[in-house]
Amino acid sequence: MKGLRKALEMTPAAIVQAVTDSGLRGRGGAGFPTGIKWKTVLQTESAQKYIVCNADEGDSGTFSDRMIMEGDPFVLIEGMAIAGLAVGATKGYAYIRSEYPHAFRQMNRAIEVAREKGLLGTEVLGSNRVFNYGNAFGRRGLHLRRGNLPA
């Protein structure tokens, strides 16, 4: 949790700048720069902001999200907490597909431990910063038959 501890010592703008300077990019196909996304959210006025992780892995044969959730779920929790601190979000959720019940259980266990250790909640690591987290267990997606479409 070194990253989270360091982020707690920084202002939200400084966290966003560090991410921008790092060149970190999203894991989606477009590889969009994370710093630009975070800066946009930080500058957006809202009474409530959320960090949402889409761990659906809709591309066939990809299991990177599943491997993180099952192997080291604290990496995901820490990353989402840092993102929340950076943009002013106090709540985070991960959507986990129904085909990953083990990942869902692992993430829920990790959330319990993180709360017990003060990594999540109303005083993250004893600070005055707030970040709460939960999981949403998805239903299996179904493909709809759309009929013939003109070319």
Side-chain angles (χ1 to χ4, degrees):
M1 295 293 161
K2 290 180 184 178
L4 181 56
R5 290 184 197 284
K6 184 173 181 178
L8 285 166
E9 297 171 358
M10 303 167 73
T11 65
I15 299 170
V16 171
Q17 190 60 54
V19 169
T20 301
D21 293 346
S22 77
L24 181 68
R25 293 182 168 272
R27 294 177 52 155
F32 195 81
T34 304
I36 293 173
K37 287 182 185 182
W38 287 17
K39 184 176 181 179
T40 302
V41 178
L42 175 61
Q43 293 174 342
T44 301
E45 295 291 327
S46 179
Q48 178 66 61
K49 295 180 185 180
Y50 299 89
I51 298 297
V52 178
C53 170
N54 180 3
D56 181 64
E57 294 185 320
D59 296 331
S60 60
T62 61
F63 301 105
S64 59
D65 295 340
R66 180 180 182 184
M67 298 303 291
I68 289 170
M69 291 183 293
E70 291 178 359
D72 190 0
F74 294 102
V75 169
L76 178 59
I77 293 169
E78 180 182 27
M80 289 183 66
I82 292 169
L85 295 174
V87 303
T90 58
K91 294 181 182 177
Y93 295 95
Y95 169 81
I96 303 171
R97 66 187 311 160
S98 64
E99 292 89 349
Y100 295 171
H102 180 64
F104 188 73
R105 285 189 303 273
Q106 285 291 95
M107 287 299 301
N108 282 336
R109 278 190 222 121
I111 290 167
E112 288 176 26
V113 170
R115 284 191 182 122
E116 289 170 8
K117 301 289 184 184
L119 303 171
L120 298 172
T122 57
E123 295 178 345
V124 174
L125 291 174
S127 72
N128 63 349
R129 312 276 286 277
V130 176
F131 190 74
N132 290 297
Y133 182 91
N135 290 319
F137 196 51
R139 294 177 50 186
R140 185 167 188 262
L142 300 174
H143 295 278
L144 299 176
R145 188 166 168 85
R146 292 203 163 91
N148 295 331
L149 299 174

